[in-house]
Amino acid sequence: SKSYSMENPSLIHRKIVVCGKVQGVWLRKSAREKALEFNVNGWVCNRPDGSVYLEAVGLPQQVEQLHQWCHLGSPQAKVTEVRSESGLLKGFKGFEIRY
């Protein structure tokens, strides 16, 4: 998997919160597969409030693809809301599921 140089000015970092029936429905695993498919680095985790949280770094088009996918989620998920905001660029290698 690619690791990006932080000198690349076109990279963006988004913090994404996915709400709804999104835990226990393979959302994190599916998000990781999609992130790798779209060449997005970062991580994903379940939050205590029942939402799923992602940090995503990549080229704008690739991060946007992952963001759009979050509105669908995994087949068993029922997404009710997706919120996102820009973050400060960080260097992530690959895309990991955090527990």
Side-chain angles (χ1 to χ4, degrees):
S1 106
K2 292 193 181 79
S3 81
Y4 290 113
S5 150
M6 297 321 326
E7 286 77 59
N8 185 335
S10 48
L11 294 181
I12 62 166
H13 178 185
R14 288 199 86 69
K15 302 190 240 183
I16 304 169
V17 178
V18 188
C19 304
K21 183 183 171 229
V22 293
Q23 292 189 9
V25 291
W26 301 97
L27 188 82
R28 288 174 305 171
K29 182 174 182 294
S30 299
R32 180 175 185 273
E33 287 168 3
K34 287 291 171 188
L36 295 175
E37 182 185 321
F38 298 146
N39 273 323
V40 172
N41 289 353
W43 55 276
V44 59
C45 70
N46 282 341
R47 298 212 303 193
D49 67 1
S51 66
V52 169
Y53 177 76
L54 298 88
E55 296 216 7
V57 171
L59 296 170
Q61 185 183 352
Q62 296 165 329
V63 172
E64 182 56 28
Q65 282 181 295
L66 184 62
H67 182 240
Q68 289 303 318
W69 176 85
C70 286
H71 289 270
L72 300 170
S74 56
Q76 301 92 333
K78 289 192 170 47
V79 177
T80 56
E81 185 187 8
V82 178
R83 296 193 298 272
S84 87
E85 62 183 47
S86 294
L88 293 172
L89 211 49
K90 295 180 193 149
F92 297 121
K93 286 205 164 92
F95 195 94
E96 65 179 15
I97 297 173
R98 294 188 181 175
Y99 296 96

